[in-house]
Amino acid sequence: MHFWLILFFFALLQTPGFADDAAWNCHQDKNSKEWVCSGEKAQPSTDTDTDTNTDTNTNTNNEPLAQQPAPVPPAPTEVKETAASESAPAPIPETPAEAKPELQPKPVAEKPIPVQATVHKAIAVKENLRQEDTRQAGWHCKSGDGSQDWDCNLTGPDPQGQPRTVAAEKHGFSLLDPAFDAKQEQVFGSLASQLKYDPWANCSIEPGAPGGFTPGRHLRDVSPLDVHANYGEVFDNEISSYEGNVEITRADQHSLSHTAQYDSVSQNLDLQGEVYYSEDNLSIYSNSANLKLAQDQATLRNVQFINPSAPLRGRAAAAYRESKSLSRYKDVAYTTCPPGNTDWVVHASDLKVNDATGKGAAKNAWVEFKGTPVFYSPYLSFPVDNRRLSGFLAPSYGNTQLGGFHATVPYYWNIAPNYDATFKPRYYTKRGLMLAGDFRLLTPYSNSKLGLEVVPNDQERHISRFLGSFKNNSQFGQYISSNLDLNYVSDKEYFGELGNALSFPNFSHIKSTADLGYRDRSKGISLVGRLENYQTIDKTLTGHKRPYRRLPQINLDLNHAFDFMPLNAALDGEYVYFQHQNLVNGQRLNIKPSISSPLHNEWGFLTPKVSLQHTDYQLSEKSSTDPNNVPKNWPGAVTRTLPIFSMDSGMTFERDLGSAGSSLKHTIEPRLFYLYIPKKDQTNIPLFDTSNYDLWFSNLFRENRFSGTDRVQDANQITAALTTRLLDPESGRERLKFNIGQIFYFQDREVTAPIRIRNLPDFVTVPEEGFETPPETDSVSPLIAELSSEFTEHWSGETGIQWNPQTNDIVRGKAVLHFVDESERILNLGFHYRRTDLVERTLIANQNIWQQSAADNNYNPLTDPAVLHSNDLVQSDVSFRWPLLDNWYAIGRWQYSWLYNNTQETFIGVEKENCCWRFRLIGRRYINNINTVNSANTQLAEGTSQSGVFFQVEFKGLTGLGERLDTFLEQSIFGYQSRQNELTTP
């Protein structure tokens, strides 16, 4: 909605008028036929020659300029004469490289500013002038006689290829004629050539984005006009008239026309005949322009315009500027499509734009898409800038398997400058009406959003259902901040049945958090208090399978580096209360001070570090806050204190490979990491938030192989690793990177963490805290090797493998290949492999617990593949975006489990996107609880599948319909980037 932008043209009209202290006395030489002028007061001539001007300063009848006998400069400046053979300046402006330098501001005594004009006079006979003025400067072509070649000739200076023949657009089925005919498209091409850049060269420009800095705009009020014309006259120091390739330049503004007249008394400027005007952020063409500078009014006929910051182009039969802020238009059509493309166009019979209120209104407005009317409204109102206005937003549609077809038409309510609301009622064909909306509040210190969805009566379940959320971010001063993210849903099936299967991927819990923190990074201080709650919505996760709540958690981190010596001191502190309805509750206090001495230079580093980790537990019965209520099999209080010593060291060797013009930098980086932690029995400590890290190269240098602090490993080990790289010094790209490493253990690891084995039948006896895993007795870890490379600018890949020398098996593996190029072709191929015998070894070590209950039911979990491989992973992942035809792309992703022989997630669709519109259509299907499968020996719950079909149509710079798919596609397809930001809610 950028119709008002054409009014930038009127900035040219802010000159207060032409002023002159003396008229020019001109006569024509009888021999040379040249005009000779002197800066004296004009006197009546007594020359009787018919070729001599008899009156150069009067024109009481306002005769047309073509009847005036002589060019008369309007200002007391030197006249620059050119030879008769020199052609007049062309109406088509020069390229930016050839544009004339901006005029420098001149001292101004007072307002209004006397405008000095320089008139460049070309010697030509009137007959030739009249013939030349009927043809715009540039190349003119017609088909040759009897041949396919074009007969072209040049008028005026060579425009150096800026104007070009616009290829006729090929239309398929169309109910309407093209909104812009071939001549208008050619004018748009000329207007675009006057700009300093192609507005449609980069489609990532967001519609409505403000234009950048305009050089010279601030010089308009103090810059003189530079006028070029074939002929010019000034009458009584008041009326100036110009004819023939009139070119006016001031600061960043440039206009071209056949004729121009200016009345300095009434401050009226009249431009006639193919009027071109351009500045850095606007380009306009009109048949005529009448401008009343004093009243800030104007009338333009048959206007065509381009606003590059939108980018936007369009036409209007007439444009009326009634005041500085109010304008009206007749018979308007506009689009954001580039010249030669009119896929969509907005038409309106009447348009009114009020810049003061930021509102616009259109009558008889309709949208044309591909030559077919698709929408009509007798009246429309809309915002013309970034000020928010109440009104209906674009509708959206979708279809899901469990909810059916749904549609919503949001309404935006601009309550006040700092708070608003959006109502989003939605109707499901299978579920009924949903009332939804959100409320936003912005203060100088905070940003809040409240969302609510309510289904008064679900037609399938015959119950009421709801979802509520509240988010707040606040900043109190420089260092104190808070965050709230609270969510609650009425039942576990809400997202599966009323979600859209698109914005809600696989998840089992709804998380709510609230924190308040003090952070001063300059002093290395961080203190954060947090509350964290989980609402489980996965029906298969019951009892002990649910996570603990943290009510509350307090973290204190201190870090200080001494200037006088290489010494760092740090303190990691935490207090947290864990609460669970079915498991033991507990309070945990953990303090870990440390001192390190980092020594490093260009060729290596050495960092010894000493830490002391102290942890104190206060345990209580399930859901009880009474510290004297001691749970069974757990002590009431547990204390653990462990020293930790580590030594990290590495070196870097590098050399240049190849010739100077194509050299690569090769590095070899060996690294040794030693870790010692004494053994301490920790089986009397429950697991609140601790599990094993998945071992990859980056985890070889951790001080603890467990996440969380409920377990601290016993260690006497050294990690030996080597990294080598091939670097491109110019781009910094890693042409090749290879990592290899392994841990060598000097003792067995007897500190282990219990695990909960999935897919066991309910009748099998399972300890509340899980099964204790057996000690690890291998002398070495699996050998880990990783290889990654950016082969070219478009190809990259990574692969990794873990080999267990004790069993001679591959226990981990991955291979990923990426291809992304400028034409936005994307292909990702991935394969992930994980095999472990941990479940089998744990079941064997705990046979005395489960054996009797399993035997009573004639069941053996050691022969059940669904149990033994519950932690395994064999999965392929393919995603792509590939061109089909004429900017149509196929998009999709397929995740397949080779372990379970089923598709875990897939979607397939098509999209088309260009500079003016976008279309997407996808169908998606995925499975919740992907690790839950049917077993040959047990009856287990099968994962719930969900499917849906979604589409999106967006007219860039106007509006869109359907679901917003950009975020989903960017998360699902590596390398996918939307070329244009989504239209945001006001």
Side-chain angles (χ1 to χ4, degrees):
M1 304 300 179
H2 303 280
F3 303 105
W4 74 97
L5 293 174
I6 67 171
L7 301 180
F8 287 151
F9 171 56
F10 304 128
L12 174 66
L13 314 178
Q14 296 173 359
T15 57
F18 295 96
D20 193 7
D21 295 330
W24 288 83
N25 184 18
C26 301
H27 67 275
Q28 190 174 26
D29 188 92
K30 296 181 179 181
N31 298 323
S32 64
K33 301 301 182 181
E34 293 185 1
W35 287 92
V36 180
C37 301
S38 61
E40 299 178 354
K41 200 71 174 180
Q43 301 294 334
S45 175
T46 58
D47 198 326
T48 59
D49 195 293
T50 57
D51 293 333
T52 304
N53 185 21
T54 59
D55 189 359
T56 61
N57 64 346
T58 58
N59 186 9
T60 58
N61 296 325
N62 292 325
E63 298 177 2
L65 268 179
Q67 305 298 325
Q68 304 304 319
V72 182
T77 55
E78 180 182 356
V79 177
K80 302 178 182 179
E81 297 185 357
T82 56
S85 59
E86 295 181 9
S87 58
I92 305 299
E94 297 88 346
T95 61
E98 298 176 339
K100 297 179 178 60
E102 298 176 358
L103 298 178
Q104 298 299 320
K106 298 184 179 181
V108 181
E110 59 183 4
K111 300 281 187 174
I113 302 168
V115 178
Q116 298 180 353
T118 302
V119 179
H120 297 258
K121 175 172 65 72
I123 307 302
V125 296
K126 288 185 180 180
E127 290 76 6
N128 292 337
L129 172 64
R130 295 192 184 98
Q131 294 175 4
E132 291 177 358
D133 286 347
T134 60
R135 304 179 63 185
Q136 182 182 344
W139 287 96
H140 300 268
C141 301
K142 61 182 179 179
S143 59
D145 298 334
S147 68
Q148 299 299 320
D149 297 333
W150 288 91
D151 180 14
C152 299
N153 58 83
L154 176 63
T155 301
D158 189 353
Q160 299 187 357
Q162 291 181 18
R164 60 188 183 278
T165 302
V166 178
E169 183 179 3
K170 296 181 179 180
H171 293 273
F173 174 77
S174 178
L175 297 178
L176 306 172
D177 293 332
F180 309 117
D181 57 31
K183 182 178 179 181
Q184 290 173 327
E185 291 287 5
Q186 188 173 11
V187 171
F188 281 125
S190 298
L191 292 175
S193 69
Q194 299 179 32
L195 301 170
K196 293 187 176 181
Y197 62 92
D198 183 0
W200 290 273
N202 184 358
C203 291
S204 65
I205 298 177
E206 182 182 359
F213 173 70
T214 305
R217 180 182 293 271
H218 62 291
L219 305 179
R220 294 179 183 176
D221 292 339
V222 295
S223 298
L225 290 181
D226 186 11
V227 181
H228 296 249
N230 291 353
Y231 286 92
E233 289 181 331
V234 174
F235 304 96
D236 292 333
N237 265 352
E238 296 178 359
I239 300 176
S240 303
S241 298
Y242 306 94
E243 181 177 358
N245 294 325
V246 180
E247 181 179 7
I248 304 176
T249 303
R250 184 184 66 169
D252 64 313
Q253 302 167 306
H254 186 206
S255 72
L256 297 158
S257 62
H258 288 184
T259 64
Q261 289 186 345
Y262 179 73
D263 188 335
S264 61
V265 176
S266 62
Q267 296 189 31
N268 285 0
L269 178 63
D270 187 62
L271 303 176
Q272 298 290 334
E274 297 191 71
V275 179
Y276 282 84
Y277 168 76
S278 67
E279 60 182 51
D280 281 0
N281 286 326
L282 190 65
S283 188
I284 287 180
Y285 169 82
S286 175
N287 284 350
S288 64
N290 181 265
L291 315 167
K292 299 179 180 179
L293 305 186
Q295 294 81 22
D296 206 356
Q297 298 176 349
T299 302
L300 291 87
R301 303 289 183 182
N302 296 325
V303 181
Q304 290 182 243
F305 57 90
I306 291 180
N307 172 39
S309 63
L312 184 78
R313 67 186 182 99
R315 62 163 174 81
Y320 306 97
R321 182 181 178 94
E322 298 182 355
S323 66
K324 188 176 182 179
S325 60
L326 182 63
S327 56
R328 296 184 298 106
Y329 305 87
K330 294 288 187 180
D331 189 16
V332 178
Y334 89 94
T335 182
T336 60
C337 301
N341 184 326
T342 54
D343 285 346
W344 71 265
V345 181
V346 175
H347 300 262
S349 61
D350 295 277
L351 177 70
K352 181 182 293 186
V353 175
N354 192 326
D355 293 333
T357 61
K359 298 180 180 180
K363 295 182 179 179
N364 299 318
W366 54 280
V367 180
E368 166 194 343
F369 180 66
K370 288 292 186 179
T372 304
V374 295
F375 174 79
Y376 171 80
S377 176
Y379 178 82
L380 284 177
S381 62
F382 50 86
V384 297
D385 51 26
N386 58 1
R387 283 176 285 184
R388 306 187 309 273
L389 296 176
S390 300
F392 286 98
L393 304 178
S396 63
Y397 313 94
N399 183 73
T400 62
Q401 181 179 355
L402 301 179
F405 177 81
H406 63 264
T408 180
V409 182
Y411 180 82
Y412 175 75
W413 182 19
N414 182 33
I415 306 174
N418 64 323
Y419 55 92
D420 57 16
T422 304
F423 302 98
K424 297 178 286 187
R426 179 179 297 179
Y427 182 79
Y428 292 83
T429 56
K430 292 185 178 180
R431 302 287 172 173
L433 178 65
M434 171 190 287
L435 302 177
D438 56 62
F439 174 82
R440 301 188 303 182
L441 173 64
L442 180 66
T443 71
Y445 310 104
S446 66
N447 186 358
S448 304
K449 181 177 181 179
L450 174 66
L452 183 64
E453 296 179 357
V454 178
V455 180
N457 182 25
D458 189 321
Q459 296 176 358
E460 292 284 334
R461 292 178 171 266
H462 304 289
I463 59 174
S464 61
R465 312 171 75 178
F466 66 90
L467 166 67
S469 66
F470 177 71
K471 294 177 174 59
N472 174 271
N473 299 315
S474 300
Q475 187 72 37
F476 309 101
Q478 184 177 0
Y479 304 114
I480 301 177
S481 63
S482 68
N483 295 279
L484 292 176
D485 188 356
L486 310 179
N487 305 277
Y488 189 79
V489 66
S490 60
D491 55 87
K492 293 181 172 62
E493 294 81 12
Y494 185 91
F495 291 117
E497 297 176 353
L498 297 174
N500 61 8
L502 183 67
S503 57
F504 301 106
N506 298 331
F507 64 97
S508 300
H509 313 281
I510 299 177
K511 182 179 179 181
S512 296
T513 60
D515 64 64
L516 176 66
Y518 174 88
R519 300 174 179 87
D520 187 352
R521 295 185 178 180
S522 62
K523 296 181 180 180
I525 301 175
S526 175
L527 176 62
V528 179
R530 178 179 292 110
L531 299 174
E532 189 172 276
N533 179 63
Y534 292 90
Q535 182 185 5
T536 302
I537 61 173
D538 189 337
K539 294 185 293 184
T540 65
L541 299 181
T542 59
H544 62 272
K545 297 179 182 179
R546 296 176 178 176
Y548 274 94
R549 303 181 182 95
R550 293 177 172 89
L551 305 171
Q553 179 183 16
I554 301 174
N555 290 321
L556 173 64
D557 296 323
L558 304 176
N559 199 326
H560 180 72
F562 295 90
D563 297 332
F564 61 90
M565 63 182 300
L567 185 67
N568 286 348
L571 174 67
D572 297 335
E574 178 196 50
Y575 167 80
V576 58
Y577 172 68
F578 293 98
Q579 192 272 336
H580 200 285
Q581 294 180 351
N582 305 101
L583 297 176
V584 60
N585 297 334
Q587 302 177 62
R588 184 179 70 194
L589 175 65
N590 184 76
I591 300 176
K592 185 181 178 182
S594 63
I595 297 176
S596 62
S597 178
L599 306 173
H600 55 83
N601 54 31
E602 295 180 353
W603 52 267
F605 67 92
L606 177 66
T607 307
K609 181 180 178 181
V610 178
S611 307
L612 183 67
Q613 184 162 345
H614 174 79
T615 312
D616 182 81
Y617 289 87
Q618 298 293 326
L619 305 178
S620 59
E621 188 56 85
K622 307 169 186 177
S623 302
S624 173
T625 58
D626 184 0
N628 297 320
N629 188 5
V630 180
K632 298 178 181 180
N633 303 325
W634 295 108
V638 181
T639 299
R640 179 191 64 198
T641 303
L642 288 170
I644 302 173
F645 172 75
S646 66
M647 177 79 73
D648 196 4
S649 62
M651 301 182 69
T652 301
F653 304 93
E654 64 179 40
R655 63 169 181 168
D656 293 331
L657 297 178
S659 59
S662 60
S663 63
L664 294 176
K665 188 178 293 294
H666 179 216
T667 68
I668 298 178
E669 306 165 34
R671 184 176 179 183
L672 293 175
F673 177 74
Y674 176 75
L675 177 66
Y676 176 78
I677 306 175
K679 173 191 171 183
K680 187 174 181 63
D681 184 15
Q682 303 171 49
T683 57
N684 58 348
I685 300 176
L687 294 187
F688 295 115
D689 60 354
T690 297
S691 61
N692 286 76
Y693 279 116
D694 195 11
L695 186 62
W696 280 105
F697 185 82
S698 60
N699 293 333
L700 293 177
F701 309 98
R702 289 184 178 273
E703 290 185 349
N704 194 4
R705 70 176 185 271
F706 301 103
S707 64
T709 57
D710 297 323
R711 291 292 184 273
V712 178
Q713 69 171 341
D714 54 329
N716 185 10
Q717 64 191 45
I718 188 170
T719 300
L722 178 69
T723 298
T724 181
R725 315 169 197 256
L726 285 178
L727 302 173
D728 187 342
E730 295 183 359
S731 63
R733 182 180 295 116
E734 287 186 345
R735 295 294 186 181
L736 185 69
K737 180 181 179 181
F738 177 71
N739 297 321
I740 187 169
Q742 191 173 28
I743 302 176
F744 297 88
Y745 301 107
F746 303 125
Q747 66 182 33
D748 294 340
R749 281 81 60 213
E750 299 185 27
V751 176
T752 60
I755 63 171
R756 293 187 171 92
I757 300 176
R758 288 175 292 185
N759 301 338
L760 282 172
D762 293 336
F763 56 76
V764 175
T765 301
V766 178
E768 182 181 87
E769 66 276 7
F771 292 103
E772 283 289 342
T773 58
E776 298 183 8
T777 59
D778 295 343
S779 59
V780 294
S781 72
L783 179 66
I784 300 176
E786 297 178 353
L787 178 68
S788 62
S789 174
E790 296 183 57
F791 313 109
T792 65
E793 186 178 354
H794 309 304
W795 286 94
S796 64
E798 57 179 322
T799 184
I801 193 171
Q802 294 185 29
W803 173 67
N804 188 340
Q806 307 295 328
T807 60
N808 196 26
D809 289 330
I810 303 298
V811 295
R812 297 283 195 281
K814 65 178 179 180
V816 179
L817 183 65
H818 304 294
F819 172 77
V820 181
D821 67 358
E822 292 89 347
S823 60
E824 299 181 352
R825 294 183 298 175
I826 300 173
L827 178 63
N828 301 303
L829 304 175
F831 181 80
H832 297 269
Y833 174 87
R834 181 180 67 215
R835 288 279 189 174
T836 177
D837 61 353
L838 179 62
V839 173
E840 182 179 5
R841 292 191 293 110
T842 301
L843 288 172
I844 294 174
N846 294 272
Q847 290 189 57
N848 59 320
I849 298 177
W850 58 264
Q851 199 167 34
Q852 184 61 47
S853 60
D856 293 342
N857 291 273
N858 193 25
Y859 171 74
N860 184 2
L862 293 174
T863 62
D864 189 348
V867 174
L868 295 179
H869 301 302
S870 59
N871 289 341
D872 294 352
L873 177 68
V874 185
Q875 176 180 289
S876 61
D877 192 345
V878 179
S879 60
F880 61 89
R881 182 182 189 266
W882 207 256
L884 298 174
L885 179 68
D886 190 25
N887 286 330
W888 283 94
Y889 288 80
I891 52 177
R893 185 182 185 185
W894 179 38
Q895 283 185 323
Y896 186 80
S897 173
W898 297 89
L899 182 64
Y900 302 139
N901 295 321
N902 67 357
T903 297
Q904 297 175 359
E905 179 180 0
T906 183
F907 71 85
I908 189 71
V910 294
E911 75 168 349
K912 179 171 182 176
E913 182 171 5
N914 52 36
C915 287
C916 59
W917 67 284
R918 170 196 295 162
F919 172 81
R920 294 189 179 114
L921 174 67
I922 67 170
R924 185 190 184 212
R925 180 181 178 86
Y926 71 94
I927 299 177
N928 281 329
N929 317 320
I930 58 177
N931 289 319
T932 301
V933 296
N934 283 326
S935 167
N937 301 323
T938 60
Q939 298 297 322
L940 300 178
E942 185 178 6
T944 304
S945 64
Q946 175 69 293
S947 61
V949 177
F950 309 93
F951 79 97
Q952 177 186 16
V953 178
E954 179 184 337
F955 300 145
K956 296 185 178 181
L958 182 62
T959 187
L961 302 175
E963 300 285 349
R964 296 179 177 177
L965 306 179
D966 290 66
T967 301
F968 170 74
L969 294 176
E970 289 174 357
Q971 294 175 348
S972 302
I973 303 177
F974 176 86
Y976 185 96
Q977 291 183 348
S978 178
R979 292 191 296 175
Q980 179 180 327
N981 295 333
E982 292 285 351
L983 296 176
T984 57
T985 302

